[in-house]
Amino acid sequence: MRRFREQVQNTEGGTDLIIRTSVRLMVPFIQLFGLYVIVHGHYSPGGGFQGGVLLGSAFILLALAYGVEYSKKYMSEFANFLTVNIGVFIFVGFGILCALVGGFFLDYGAMANVFPMPLPEWRYWGVFVVEVGVGMGVMGIMVSLYWDLASAGSRKEGL
Amino acid sequence: MSVVVTIMLAAGLFFFAVGTLGVLRFPDFYTRLHAAGKCDTFAAILTLAALALFNLQEFTVENLLVSLKIMSIAAFVFIASPTATHALTEAALIVGVEPWEKKGKS
């Protein structure tokens, strides 16, 4: 038993081949499902928040299995920062744009005054745009929360 | 068809019950994980397959799609649940949880 434990402890990185392989198998499908949830958010269960959480959790799974440094190769801190801010900007910007053209905040129907498209279609695409923004924001926040908490703020070495 | 579905659901419930009994009654961490990991995976697959079959009673394209989605959930559980059990066991091994031994032995 002790020999076996030492053998496990000496593998570099902390996690072994089984976890890494199945994470590599699962991550693309989780990301695909996250995109599906975001895109189908306006007429089925789900939406921007849930899809963003799924995308972020796929990334967290990668960071858990391979380490924080490895996950930063695929999305740097600056890219993460940019994702969060663009997401929030899309959400708030679209809402304020609706207010500027003569409706309320996030009143998508008002956009029909500016850009000629039927009112129901504006409602449909407005919800979609806002949910893409929410999804981007939530995904980035999830990933950066994990980075901060798992590495105790240093962002160098995770769990 | 419904006889097969009933048998599969009953078998799934049986394995869930056995797994729960194992989690409650086994003596230490590793054996409890053994019970939880194996029984729950198999029972979940049986139950989901029964649901997919039940959904296919009227064979249309939409029902086939829904059944395929259910079976893909089953495939995901089939990969993810044993991996989670493995990760938990490895973490316990690294931290140093001692396995249970019969009293009086060794």
Side-chain angles (χ1 to χ4, degrees), chain B residues 1 13-14 19 21-22 31 36 41 45-46 50 55 57 62 82 85 89 95-96 98 103:
Chain B
M1 183 73 95
L13 276 179
F14 171 74
L21 193 71
T31 45
T41 312
I45 287 171
L46 271 178
N55 191 50
Q57 274 181 332
E62 290 102 37
T85 313
T89 318
V95 169
E98 286 296 329
K103 275 171 199 158

Side-chain angles (χ1 to χ4, degrees), chain A residues 24-48:
Chain A
R24 217 164 49 214
L25 209 67
M26 281 190 293
V27 160
F29 291 103
I30 296 175
Q31 283 177 332
L32 192 68
F33 186 61
L35 287 178
Y36 170 84
V37 167
I38 288 180
V39 169
H40 285 249
H42 31 299
Y43 52 87
S44 71

Side-chain angles (χ1 to χ4, degrees), chain A residues 71-152:
Chain A
S71 71
K72 275 188 196 163
K73 266 198 291 189
Y74 288 94
M75 188 157 85
S76 62
E77 282 183 58
F78 183 71
N80 191 34
F81 174 78
L82 221 60
T83 311
V84 176
N85 282 295
I86 288 175
V88 173
F89 180 74
I90 289 174
F91 180 81
V92 178
F94 199 73
I96 289 181
L97 194 65
C98 294
L100 284 181
V101 299
F104 298 111
F105 184 68
L106 289 178
D107 184 9
Y108 317 117
M111 291 293 284
N113 298 336
V114 194
F115 194 80
M117 204 156 69
L119 200 77
E121 278 199 28
W122 258 119
R123 294 245 158 86
Y124 182 91
W125 288 110
V127 174
F128 178 71
V129 168
V130 163
E131 277 186 353
V132 167
V134 172
M136 284 169 78
V138 170
M139 176 201 165
I141 288 292
M142 291 287 290
V143 173
S144 77
L145 265 181
Y146 173 76
W147 279 344
D148 280 341
L149 289 179
S151 59

